[in-house]
Amino acid sequence: MAITLTRPEPALWLERYGDELYRFALGRVADRACAEELVQETLLSALQALASFRGESSERTWLFLILRRKIIDHYRHQARHPEVSLSQITPDDSTEADFFDPQDGHWRQRQYPAGWQSADGALEQQELHQTLRGCQDKLPAQHAAVFVLRFVEELTAEEICKELRLTTSNYWVIIHRAKLQLRRCLENHGLGRVA
């Protein structure tokens, strides 16, 4: 039985996949303009690589693979060329020793992460998502890149180290610090420990 390959239809990409590509990008980057830019870059790259499309996957899957690569490139660039506003530079009152036992590296009992407060309603879920996004946006560029690649894109530590040219130990330090910063930020927004 012969497999019939369908030819890509670039003129219909935006209509067919534009909204879906945009939502995917917006869920992974800080703002709408950046998401729009990534979708535009994806469509342009796909158009330029049209001759190399072999039809081994669907047109949609191919476009999403290109977009995913663009998102990784975006975070790689951010990690290498961070832009830090003065509002992001805040003195840190607590140290890592406040959270972790220096002997075994585990959470101190009084600092152990507690369960989140109830977030049953859709509005509460939306507020939680917005707060988490806001906290994520406050991370230094490299921390944000590593966090998103690990916990949103679900890349392995090895893949992230390769993409961002990090050592394994540097990766783990960045993940550790990003989690601490996110935790502090969420606690500052009332999403911390339940009494």
Side-chain angles (χ1 to χ4, degrees):
M1 175 165 71
I3 298 174
T4 308
L5 297 177
T6 59
R7 298 185 50 85
E9 299 179 84
L12 300 175
W13 285 348
L14 194 57
E15 180 183 329
R16 286 181 180 166
Y17 313 112
D19 289 343
E20 197 176 1
L21 289 166
Y22 174 73
R23 282 191 305 274
F24 183 83
L26 187 59
R28 285 153 176 79
V29 296
D31 61 53
R32 296 176 189 276
C34 183
E36 289 171 359
E37 184 71 26
L38 287 168
V39 171
Q40 289 175 2
E41 289 177 17
T42 297
L43 296 175
L44 181 60
S45 291
L47 197 55
Q48 292 170 341
L50 193 56
S52 67
F53 180 72
R54 297 186 305 255
E56 294 173 355
S57 62
S58 71
E59 189 176 47
R60 178 186 174 278
T61 301
W62 183 60
L63 290 170
F64 273 91
L65 287 172
I66 294 170
L67 176 57
R68 188 167 188 253
R69 185 81 230 156
K70 293 291 180 190
I71 292 168
I72 291 170
D73 290 344
H74 165 77
Y75 279 109
R76 181 187 305 127
H77 182 266
Q78 264 196 335
R80 290 187 186 143
H81 308 291
E83 295 177 15
V84 180
S85 71
L86 292 177
S87 65
Q88 291 177 319
I89 302 173
T90 57
D92 187 8
D93 299 342
S94 59
T95 64
E96 292 178 18
D98 294 337
F99 290 100
F100 302 102
D101 184 327
Q103 293 187 346
D104 64 10
H106 294 282
W107 290 99
R108 291 186 184 275
Q109 186 65 32
R110 68 182 186 281
Q111 294 295 343
Y112 193 81
W116 294 102
Q117 296 174 350
S118 173
D120 294 328
L123 181 59
E124 288 176 338
Q125 287 291 345
Q126 183 180 7
E127 289 173 1
L128 174 63
H129 179 73
Q130 289 172 342
T131 302
L132 181 58
R133 173 54 64 120
C135 289
Q136 186 179 320
D137 291 345
K138 292 178 184 176
L139 290 173
Q142 190 175 47
H143 289 59
V146 170
F147 183 82
V148 168
L149 293 176
R150 176 65 189 105
F151 296 107
V152 178
E153 290 300 316
E154 298 180 343
L155 297 182
T156 65
E158 184 178 307
E159 291 170 318
I160 294 168
C161 288
K162 183 179 175 184
E163 290 293 334
L164 299 180
R165 296 186 183 129
L166 299 172
T167 64
T168 303
S169 59
N170 193 13
Y171 164 81
W172 288 110
V173 167
I174 291 169
I175 283 291
H176 173 76
R177 289 181 179 164
K179 287 179 181 179
L180 284 177
Q181 289 171 309
L182 286 171
R183 178 181 174 181
R184 275 189 213 110
C185 181
L186 290 170
E187 286 175 345
N188 288 339
H189 285 88
L191 295 171
R193 300 177 60 81
V194 178

